Amino acid sequence: MKRPPRAGFIGGGFMAAVHTRASRAARGHLTALASSTPERAQRAAETLGVERSAPDVRSLVAAGDLDVVHVCSPNRLHTEHTLAALAAGAHVICEKPLATTVADAERLVRAAREADRVAAVPFVYRYHPMARQARALVADGQLGTVLTLDAGYLQDWLLDPEDTNWRAHPEAGGASRAFADIGSHLCDLVEFVSGQRIHRLAARTRTVFPERGGIRVTNEDTAALLVELGNGALGTLLVSQLAPGRKNSLTLELHGTRRSVRFDQERPEELWIGARDGSRLVLRDPDTAAPDSARVSVLPPGHALGYQDAFTAFVTDVYDAVQGANPEGMPTFADGLRAARLTEAVLASAAGRGTWIETAPATEDRT
């Protein structure tokens, strides 16, 4: 396929806006959009610049004119909508969490494999150039052996009991909220940058407000984890959607036998590198960066790249994969399944009041 991929979108909210902007920048053809009602689909298509609206998801995929479908619907609908898109022959980008249960995530991995379609999950923080630069430092041995790590993902958008969202509804968002929504990003970045899997974890979770906007809440507001990586490194992870003043604070700090490195998503143009004899800040520069970092560093130094740029780089990789390429580090449904398994382990550990749960992957799932 040499022409621009024809993209369809399921959903019309915030994430659909992010996906359509990325698709346009990646030279996709914004062909069709479906939402929860025909009226909402029409409004969203007009607002987001999509060629046409579809009355429902069945009509969207049945038209047969889409190369890639972006699934941006509520979590509980991901499995249904992804299966429909795959059955229609489309490649799929499905928002995380890939599914609200491990069984459904496994089902989607199998379906994508059997359909022989590109199937990706937007763990887009991998696409910050300086996150990839940190990964290269670890891989090159410049940190030495990683001994410990300290990571967190903090937000404040659900700080007050009056704050509500469909994600707080277990039927729509799933059994886990804070961890499945943002903790999954954090764990993916830990494993991606460190090059190590989380082999065991112990977790505690807390639901601070049992009711939001008249809805009984059972999924968590916060989660705290102890983790052990495959090489024995120990770490702490803190996830919260109730941290005043923290808007989207994703941080990862790795400590090796020679150096430390810290990446902060709210300061994406820099890395902090620590050593016993002094510390320094390294600014993004594609001319001196590792090749994989330079590949996604599309602007010269001093021209800041941010979240939307990372998302665009991800979608560009997916569209290139649809054309037959094999982009380095593209997150697939296998990574979405990994996140579902870690989420299940967090909930199981928390239910056991911090019991250690083994999470080493027995096999590597591939789409």
Side-chain angles (χ1 to χ4, degrees):
M1 183 181 65
K2 298 302 182 182
R3 55 175 167 70
R6 298 166 299 182
F9 304 86
I10 302 175
F14 167 73
M15 288 314 304
V18 173
H19 279 252
T20 53
R21 285 194 294 266
S23 178
R24 184 177 292 107
R27 299 182 180 178
H29 184 116
L30 279 62
T31 303
L33 182 146
S35 190
S36 55
T37 67
E39 294 75 22
R40 288 182 179 179
Q42 183 175 356
R43 288 197 299 271
E46 292 172 354
T47 300
L48 300 176
V50 181
E51 193 171 85
R52 73 167 192 275
S53 64
D56 51 40
V57 172
R58 180 177 296 181
S59 301
L60 179 96
V61 300
D65 61 347
L66 300 176
D67 300 304
V68 183
V69 172
H70 295 242
V71 177
C72 313
S73 49
N75 301 348
R76 68 179 176 84
L77 297 172
H78 287 181
T79 299
E80 173 189 340
H81 291 164
T82 298
L83 289 173
L86 290 171
H91 306 275
V92 179
I93 296 173
C94 180
E95 262 301 327
K96 35 90 340 231
L98 176 61
T100 56
T101 67
V102 169
D104 278 345
E106 290 173 336
R107 185 182 177 193
L108 294 179
V109 168
R110 288 194 302 270
R113 182 187 300 122
E114 291 166 1
D116 193 25
R117 298 290 85 183
V118 174
V121 176
F123 287 124
V124 297
Y125 299 115
R126 295 183 179 198
Y127 281 86
H128 283 299
M130 297 310 276
R132 296 207 171 205
Q133 186 66 22
R135 182 188 188 217
L137 294 177
V138 175
D140 289 346
Q142 295 191 39
L143 270 62
T145 300
V146 175
L147 302 175
T148 59
L149 66 100
D150 177 35
Y153 200 157
L154 307 177
Q155 300 175 331
D156 69 358
W157 67 289
L158 289 172
L159 178 62
D160 297 325
E162 296 80 15
D163 296 328
T164 190
N165 181 267
W166 60 262
R167 292 173 179 82
H169 214 305
E171 289 77 14
S176 173
R177 175 173 25 97
F179 186 82
D181 186 27
I182 59 176
S184 58
H185 272 300
L186 186 62
C187 288
D188 181 77
L189 197 65
V190 166
E191 294 191 335
F192 182 72
V193 172
S194 72
Q196 297 284 329
R197 294 290 199 173
I198 296 170
H199 273 217
R200 54 193 57 84
L201 62 81
R204 296 296 298 270
T205 63
R206 185 182 179 193
T207 303
V208 178
F209 301 118
E211 184 176 295
R212 289 181 179 274
I215 299 172
R216 182 172 176 269
V217 177
T218 57
N219 49 28
E220 78 284 349
D221 294 309
T222 65
L225 283 69
L226 295 175
V227 300
E228 183 177 341
L229 304 187
N231 72 339
L234 298 176
T236 58
L237 279 65
L238 181 62
V239 176
S240 176
Q241 294 176 321
L242 282 71
R246 292 300 186 187
K247 303 306 178 184
N248 202 54
S249 178
L250 185 158
T251 58
L252 171 60
E253 186 167 312
L254 301 174
H255 314 117
T257 53
R258 296 179 60 201
R259 294 184 180 86
S260 300
V261 65
R262 179 182 177 86
F263 171 74
D264 182 344
Q265 197 276 153
E266 291 187 339
R267 302 176 66 90
E269 290 284 283
E270 64 186 41
L271 284 182
W272 175 84
I273 299 177
R276 192 171 185 178
D277 59 355
S279 302
R280 60 196 175 100
L281 286 180
V282 175
L283 301 182
R284 181 183 64 82
D285 185 346
D287 291 336
T288 58
D292 192 43
S293 173
R295 182 177 74 85
V296 296
S297 190
V298 296
L299 293 177
H303 299 75
L305 295 171
Y307 171 76
Q308 187 67 57
D309 300 293
F311 216 106
T312 294
F314 159 72
V315 172
T316 299
D317 265 7
V318 177
Y319 288 2
D320 285 347
V322 168
Q323 304 273 12
N326 186 27
E328 168 64 27
M330 188 187 81
T332 68
F333 276 17
D335 298 298
L337 172 57
R338 173 67 177 164
R341 287 180 173 153
L342 290 174
T343 300
E344 183 179 79
V346 166
L347 295 181
S349 177
R353 299 186 64 79
T355 304
W356 282 93
I357 303 291
E358 298 294 317
T359 56
T363 59
E364 293 294 332
D365 296 293
R366 300 183 185 278
T367 54

